[in-house]
């Protein structure tokens, strides 16, 4: 059975992992990363050691090498079963061997085995990967080095990296150190770099700030992902990069021909009339860990509270006439309505009552069943399904869930939100990618409300149709597209496509052209980019590797679930390009050792840091940690390890004094959420006591101030509410602009003739300085 609560196995003082060093190089929007793990055996016996760590789902891992006592050994990428048997055979023959593989159930967890480490031996293991950096709404590029690897709530799955039982230690007792140096360069110049962790002062190189260097301050605690936001001076411009292939070593493979990476920033206009139809289903994680704060920063909102606030905003922002439903899931699931219902005042009020009662009380994270139930519901004619999934991303079997979403991709779009540090990038990015939606991560000071409303705004925009990419190349040269055909584009999004160029490369001055076409509401649009056809050499074959990764992401559905036909393609591309997949693993055997390793082999596991002390307290909050993770025991994992915490029921929160625990503002104190929850489904407000309290006036004063005799009191109330939003919550506009637009539309329909008088009076009455033109449609 599991050890009891708070049990910490004895930790051997000589942990072989001594330090981790990361060198990061960001050029434009591509990151190249080299991470080195330094091991030393200070014991008198040979060791075998294991280490589990997180990796972003988009990382293309292409190199793994060991330096043993000064001698370099490069690992080979082999079919996974073969790599395992080579490793086992080497260990039993007392040879040194190293194995690196992806977890069977998720693309963003890796395991590294170091076998037969001689007494006194030093080993440095280096893995290298490249990845495209995602674009944030404000134009920043976001690089995340996952430092937190959350528990994956497991069903009956065995043989996962995450099932390894390893010691847990408090953060301050971790026996290894962590360092990171980053170089960032862009031909357009760097405006600024921000981070959620303490960094050394930025050193700019070059007159025009085209490159910069920063390093992580010493003493990084493994309590959060390391995140960099990079802002370039030139807002992103379309580019094409062409990279030379390796024809000598590859007669027919993926690496033989030059590859091209095209980056479009389509200039999609905002459609004047948003879509008013659709079936909007919100699937909300209510597992125990949603009771945690979003981040370890002071006064961070609890995940479940942020989720409730977000749901209120979403429900208020829906258009009249659409359909909706809300599901909560954990070990079981609950739906607000048996089927999706038409959005009306009555159904909205019923849903709001239920949102306010929502708790993080449903145990584990079983997302597959509610998804299957949602997909089983008959489609509502004329109302395409738009699914919004909110989770802290700790599910049993990521590939199964992605496959389920993929099977239903033609009948819906899926927008996903990963909440808190360490949410599974494999799950969150995977389900959005296969179903034409977008994915967002909510960590640190990010507001879930803003990111969710931005996705809803995208879902309400008319779809872009007939997306096509065509190539105009000199005679004798052709392009073979490697990226999946894009069918959905959103305003403000970037589109990256990869192709292999085969045939005869023309003389140096020749150019090619690539053309993106799409239609929106019957109008045609196109973006063209002209580029030089002279491929550039790159020792790391960055573009080839990224192209291979983009191909693998569409075909590779896990070690067990990839179809036989796709498995063949995955294996071929993975080995051709040297990019790891679920079907392959890196293996290295040290052939430099003249004699076999002597003595019995002892197993040492690299400890997993824990964010919670043995009493189950959240250290950052120095208060009780309520509702520990799911029923089966919890393993929270950090960049350099994975830690386990076993479940014991905690006393309910109300037994503790509130001074011990930071409670986020409940709707009662938060005037913005309170005002929004009073709005009617049609966009109007009633003139009543509740509204008066928020406006800081008495109801008598509000009634006395109505400027037009016999005016409808709701028209006056709605104008006052809109003025209040613009005066008191301007910085949160991204969260309320959809419901405010609904209110303005209502005013134009119900009070057009007296609108100007109402607006003028409301501005004077509230002593506001807002511009009356905000009421224009």
């Amino acid at each position: 059975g599991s050890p009891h609560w708070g049990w910490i196995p004895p930790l051997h003082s000589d942990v072989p992992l001594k330090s981790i060093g990361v060198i990061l190089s960001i050029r434009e929007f591509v990151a190249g990363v080299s991470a080195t793990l330094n091991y030393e055996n200070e014991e008198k016996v040979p060791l075998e050691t294991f280490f589990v760590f997180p990796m972003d789902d988009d990382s293309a891992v292409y190199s793994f090498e060991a330096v043993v006592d000064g001698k370099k050994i490069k690992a080979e990428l082999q079919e996974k079963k073969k790599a395992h048997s080579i490793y086992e055979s080497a260990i039993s023959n007392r040879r040194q061997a190293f194995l690196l593989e992806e977890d069977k159930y998720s693309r963003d967890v890796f395991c590294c085995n170091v076998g037969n480490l001689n007494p006194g031996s030093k080993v440095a293991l280096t893995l290298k990967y490249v990845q495209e950096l995602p674009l944030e709404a404000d134009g920043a590029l976001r690089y995340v080095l996952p430092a937190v690897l959350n528990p994956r709530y497991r069903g009956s799955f065995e043989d996962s990296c995450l099932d390894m039982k390893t010691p847990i230690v408090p953060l301050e007792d971790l026996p290894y150190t962590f360092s990171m140096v980053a170089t960032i360069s862009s031909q357009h110049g760097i405006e600024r770099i921000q981070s959620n962790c303490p960094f050394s002062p930025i050193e700019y190189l070059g007159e025009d700030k085209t490159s910069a260097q920063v390093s992580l301050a010493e003493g990084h605690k493994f309590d959060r992902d390391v995140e960099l936001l990079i802002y370039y001076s030139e807002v992103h411009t379309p580019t094409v990069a062409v990279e030379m292939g390796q024809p000598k070593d590859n007669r027919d493979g993926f690496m033989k021909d030059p590859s091209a990476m095209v980056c479009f920033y389509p200039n999609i206009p905002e459609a004047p009339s948003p879509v008013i139809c659709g079936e909007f289903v919100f699937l909300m994680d209510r597992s125990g860990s949603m009771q945690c704060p979003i981040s370890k920063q002071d006064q961070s909102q609890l995940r479940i509270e942020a989720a409730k606030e977000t749901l209120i905003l979403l429900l208020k922002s829906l258009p009249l006439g659409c359909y909706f439903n809300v599901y909560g899931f954990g070990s079981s699931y609950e739906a607000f309505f048996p089927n999706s219902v038409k959005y009306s005042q009555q159904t909205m009020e019923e849903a709001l009552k239920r949102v306010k009662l929502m708790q993080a009380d449903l145990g584990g994270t079983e997302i597959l069943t509610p998804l299957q139930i949602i997909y089983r519901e008959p489609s509502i004619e004329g109302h395409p399904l738009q699914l919004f999934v909110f989770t802290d991303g700790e599910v049993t079997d990521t590939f199964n869930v992605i496959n389920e979403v993929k099977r239903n991709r033609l009948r819906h779009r899926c927008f996903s939100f990963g909440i808190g540090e360490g949410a599974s990038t494999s799950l969150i990015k995977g389900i959005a990618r296969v179903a034409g939606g977008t994915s967002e991560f909510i960590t640190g000071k990010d507001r879930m409300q803003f990111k969710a409303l931005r996705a809803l705004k995208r879902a309400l925009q008319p779809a872009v149709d007939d997306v096509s990419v065509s190539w105009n190349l000199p005679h004798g040269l052709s392009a073979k597209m490697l990226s999946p055909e894009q069918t959905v584009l959103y305003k403000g999004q970037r589109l990256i496509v990869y192709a292999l160029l085969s045939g005869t490369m023309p003389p140096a001055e020749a150019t090619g052209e690539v053309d993106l076409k799409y239609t929106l509401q019957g109008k045609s649009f196109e973006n063209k980019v002209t580029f030089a056809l002279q491929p550039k050499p790159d020792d790391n074959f960055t573009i080839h590797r990224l192209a291979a990764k983009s191909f693998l992401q569409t075909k590779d559905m896990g070690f067990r679930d990839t179809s036989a036909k796709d498995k063949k393609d995955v294996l071929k591309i993975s080995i051709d390009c040297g990019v790891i997949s679920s079907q392959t693993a890196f293996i290295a055997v040290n052939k430099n050792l003249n004699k076999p390793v002597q003595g019995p082999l002892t197993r040492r596991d690299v400890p997993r840091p824990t964010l919670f002390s043995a009493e189950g307290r959240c250290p950052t909050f120095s208060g009780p940690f309520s509702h520990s993770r799911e029923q089966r025991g919890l393993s929270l994992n950090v960049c350099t390890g994975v830690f386990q915490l076993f479940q014991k029921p905690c006393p309910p929160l109300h037994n503790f004094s509130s001074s011990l625990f930071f409670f986020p503002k409940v709707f009662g104190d938060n005037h913005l959420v309170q005002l929004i929850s009073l709005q009617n489904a049609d966009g109007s407000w009633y003139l009543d006591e509740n509204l008066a309290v928020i406006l800081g006036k008495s109801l008598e004063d509000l009634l006395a101030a109505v400027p037009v005799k016999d005016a409808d009191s709701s028209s006056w109330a709605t104008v006052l509410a809109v003025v209040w939003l613009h005066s008191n919550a301007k910085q949160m506009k991204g969260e309320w602009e959809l419901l405010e637009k609904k209110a303005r539309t209502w005013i134009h329909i119900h009070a057009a003739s007296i609108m100007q008088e109402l607006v003028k009076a409301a501005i004077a009455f509230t002593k506001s300085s807002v511009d009356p033109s905000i009421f224009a449609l």
Side-chain angles (χ1 to χ4, degrees):
S2 298
H4 61 76
W5 177 258
W7 173 87
I8 297 183
L11 176 61
H12 201 281
S13 57
D14 306 315
V15 168
L17 182 64
K18 297 300 172 195
S19 66
I20 294 172
V22 173
I23 297 170
L24 166 67
S25 148
I26 294 174
R27 280 193 186 167
E28 307 302 349
F29 53 85
V30 173
V33 183
S34 172
T36 301
L37 315 172
N38 294 296
Y39 291 88
E40 186 175 352
N41 181 4
E42 295 171 340
E43 299 187 48
K44 306 238 180 335
V45 290
L47 298 181
E48 179 176 27
T49 175
F50 298 86
F51 174 53
V52 176
F53 57 97
M55 181 81 82
D56 192 289
D57 177 72
D58 290 334
S59 312
V61 179
Y62 66 88
S63 166
F64 181 57
E65 57 186 40
V67 175
V68 185
D69 300 327
K71 290 203 171 77
K72 189 187 278 193
I73 312 163
K74 198 149 175 52
E76 281 182 22
L77 193 61
Q78 298 270 12
E79 195 268 325
K80 199 173 217 168
K81 284 182 181 152
K82 188 177 169 189
H84 271 260
S85 71
I86 295 172
Y87 179 80
E88 296 304 334
S89 150
I91 297 303
S92 54
N93 289 320
R94 298 180 172 268
R95 293 272 169 213
Q96 272 180 351
F98 312 95
L99 182 74
L100 177 75
E101 63 182 322
E102 208 178 78
D103 185 55
K104 281 188 182 173
Y105 301 101
S106 192
R107 244 196 296 251
D108 60 350
V109 178
F110 278 72
C111 178
C112 174
N113 298 13
V114 177
N116 274 329
L117 193 52
N118 263 327
S121 231
K122 286 185 180 177
V123 176
L125 294 179
T126 300
L127 70 134
K128 293 180 181 172
Y129 65 89
V130 285
Q131 73 180 110
E132 287 166 17
L133 298 185
L135 194 59
E136 296 288 283
D138 60 358
L141 289 164
R142 182 170 182 261
Y143 170 74
V144 177
L145 182 74
V148 179
L149 174 56
N150 272 344
R152 302 294 203 261
Y153 170 80
R154 313 205 72 76
S156 54
F157 294 107
E158 293 305 321
D159 69 5
S160 159
C161 303
L162 292 173
D163 288 335
M164 295 186 346
K165 299 284 179 277
T166 54
I168 55 165
V169 293
L171 289 176
E172 59 275 14
D173 296 345
L174 272 183
Y176 41 84
T177 59
F178 180 72
S179 64
M180 175 170 156
V181 178
T183 309
I184 295 146
S185 56
S186 165
Q187 58 184 0
H188 300 299
I190 300 158
E191 197 176 284
R192 65 183 193 281
I193 299 165
Q194 284 168 232
S195 177
N196 65 336
C197 293
F199 265 76
S200 63
I202 299 172
E203 283 178 58
Y204 284 102
L205 316 162
E207 301 278 298
D208 41 6
K209 288 189 166 182
T210 49
S211 90
Q213 198 165 14
V214 291
S215 50
L216 191 60
E218 271 183 43
H220 174 69
K221 296 272 176 265
F222 296 98
D223 62 347
R224 66 182 70 168
D225 296 342
V226 179
E227 179 180 88
L228 286 178
L229 291 172
I230 298 136
Y231 296 83
Y232 292 140
S233 308
E234 175 102 359
V235 172
H236 312 282
T237 45
T239 53
V240 180
V242 183
E243 176 181 277
M244 278 164 80
Q246 247 186 333
K248 277 198 205 83
D249 314 342
N250 298 273
R251 297 253 159 76
D252 62 342
F254 198 95
M255 302 294 282
K256 175 173 78 81
D257 294 319
S259 60
M261 176 188 204
V262 186
C263 184
F264 288 110
Y265 293 89
N267 189 9
I268 300 173
E270 186 130 346
S273 52
V275 174
I276 50 168
C277 59
E279 179 190 0
F280 297 89
V281 174
F282 305 103
L283 182 55
M284 187 63 74
D285 193 337
R286 284 177 48 193
S287 61
S289 57
M290 287 291 286
Q291 189 63 38
C292 291
I294 284 178
S295 87
K296 278 158 223 56
Q297 297 173 10
D298 282 350
Q299 307 207 335
S300 175
Q301 212 174 2
L302 293 188
R303 295 169 185 184
I304 191 70
E305 295 303 330
K308 287 160 75 166
E309 215 177 274
T310 303
L311 270 176
I312 289 178
L313 285 169
L314 287 165
L315 289 170
K316 294 291 179 176
S317 303
L318 290 176
L320 274 174
C322 72
Y323 286 77
F324 78 101
N325 203 351
V326 179
Y327 286 76
F329 70 92
S331 303
S332 56
Y333 72 93
E334 291 172 7
F336 280 16
F337 306 101
N339 308 90
S340 289
V341 292
K342 196 161 193 174
Y343 180 71
S344 66
Q345 185 63 22
Q346 185 192 343
T347 56
M348 183 197 75
E349 279 177 8
E350 201 176 319
L352 283 185
K353 273 188 203 137
R354 299 196 58 163
V355 170
K356 289 177 182 178
L357 298 171
M358 262 173 50
Q359 298 292 324
D361 56 2
L362 290 182
T365 314
E366 302 276 0
I367 194 172
L368 193 57
T369 309
L371 271 177
Q372 288 165 336
I373 299 291
I374 291 166
Y375 293 143
R376 248 177 250 156
E377 292 291 322
S379 300
I380 302 168
E381 185 137 353
H383 290 273
L385 175 62
Q386 312 261 18
L387 179 63
F388 288 69
V389 179
F390 296 83
T391 177
D392 49 15
E394 304 165 22
V395 303
T396 309
D397 186 4
T398 304
F399 288 116
N400 259 344
V401 177
I402 295 172
N403 267 326
E404 185 62 32
V405 175
K406 190 178 181 179
R407 271 194 289 276
N408 291 278
R409 70 187 181 281
L410 297 177
R411 50 170 297 209
H412 82 303
R413 288 195 291 192
C414 177
F415 298 86
S416 57
F417 304 85
I419 304 162
E421 305 286 352
S424 162
T425 59
S426 197
L427 175 79
I428 307 299
K429 290 181 176 180
I431 59 177
R433 183 169 47 237
V434 297
T438 53
S439 55
E440 298 275 9
F441 289 86
I442 297 142
T443 57
K445 293 194 169 84
D446 291 344
R447 281 183 60 78
M448 187 190 303
Q449 297 83 340
F450 171 68
K451 291 191 166 182
L453 265 292
R454 184 167 79 208
L456 179 61
K457 224 173 139 180
R458 284 174 167 165
L460 289 168
Q461 279 286 304
V464 167
D465 294 315
D466 304 325
V467 181
S468 70
V469 174
S470 56
W471 298 76
N472 184 3
L473 300 170
H475 183 68
L477 194 61
S478 64
K480 181 192 172 195
M481 289 283 282
L482 293 168
S483 316
E485 281 299 312
Q486 191 83 12
T487 49
V488 196
L489 295 176
Y490 296 101
K491 189 174 171 56
Q493 253 194 329
R494 175 185 67 190
L495 170 66
I496 294 178
V497 293
Y498 295 96
L500 284 180
L501 303 178
S502 55
T504 321
M505 275 317 230
E509 58 287 351
T511 59
E513 186 183 66
V514 62
D515 191 3
L516 170 71
K517 290 188 176 134
Y518 54 93
T519 56
L520 178 65
Q521 293 187 306
K523 281 194 188 145
S524 299
F525 294 89
E526 79 179 309
N527 289 180
K528 286 183 177 179
V529 195
T530 304
F531 60 99
L533 269 169
Q534 247 356 71
K536 295 202 169 72
D538 175 351
D539 294 345
N540 293 329
F541 294 98
T542 303
I543 294 176
H544 283 81
R545 315 264 196 216
L546 290 172
K549 181 69 182 180
S550 127
F551 178 84
L552 290 171
Q553 278 177 323
T554 57
K555 297 274 189 191
D556 188 357
M557 282 295 144
F559 185 68
R560 297 165 320 145
D561 299 320
T562 307
S563 69
K565 178 186 170 296
D566 286 346
K567 205 171 262 191
K568 221 170 108 183
D569 290 347
V570 166
L571 201 55
K572 179 166 170 30
I573 298 279
S574 177
I575 287 176
D576 263 0
C577 289
V579 171
I580 204 167
S581 68
S582 70
Q583 308 297 323
T584 50
F586 278 107
I587 174 75
V589 177
N590 186 358
K591 305 203 170 92
N592 298 326
L593 280 184
N594 299 328
K595 56 177 188 177
V597 174
Q598 303 302 308
L601 186 62
T602 307
R603 176 173 169 141
R604 288 277 174 260
D605 294 314
V606 175
R608 309 171 175 200
T610 174
L611 297 180
F612 308 113
S613 66
E615 304 84 65
R617 300 194 166 215
C618 237
T620 326
F621 291 84
S622 67
F625 171 70
S626 156
H627 298 296
S628 175
R629 191 45 159 171
E630 357 286 25
Q631 269 62 355
R632 299 172 197 273
L634 143 71
S635 56
L636 279 174
N637 313 302
V638 170
C639 169
T640 49
V642 187
F643 49 85
Q644 310 235 322
L645 184 68
F646 293 94
Q647 172 107 3
K648 174 189 176 192
C650 284
L653 267 180
H654 53 71
N655 291 359
F656 298 106
S657 107
S658 60
S659 63
L660 275 177
F661 199 86
F662 168 73
F663 281 104
K665 287 186 172 177
V666 193
F667 306 142
D669 305 344
N670 185 330
H671 281 171
L672 174 62
V673 180
Q674 207 179 39
L675 177 73
I676 285 165
S677 56
L678 294 175
Q679 189 188 28
N680 297 315
D682 61 8
S684 66
W685 273 266
Y686 294 129
L687 194 61
D688 61 12
E689 282 290 356
N690 293 326
L691 182 68
V693 168
I694 295 164
L695 298 175
K697 308 283 184 188
S698 72
L699 184 56
E700 289 70 33
D701 287 352
L702 288 182
L703 289 163
V706 179
V708 182
K709 201 172 178 300
D710 304 328
D712 166 36
S713 64
S714 282
S715 300
W716 175 232
T718 305
V719 169
L720 285 167
V722 170
V723 168
W724 188 94
L725 285 172
H726 283 271
S727 310
N728 296 279
K730 201 168 169 60
Q731 72 285 11
M732 317 283 256
K733 188 177 178 188
E735 299 178 21
W736 51 254
E737 63 185 329
L738 283 175
L739 58 90
E740 181 262 4
K741 195 171 179 185
K742 204 153 70 157
R744 281 187 288 125
T745 306
W746 185 92
I747 294 164
H748 277 262
I749 293 167
H750 292 88
S753 58
I754 55 169
M755 187 177 78
Q756 281 175 319
E757 288 168 82
L758 292 176
V759 171
K760 201 172 154 190
I763 290 171
F765 178 69
T766 56
K767 299 188 173 65
S768 162
S769 57
V770 301
D771 183 339
S773 70
I774 58 166
F775 283 87
L777 270 187

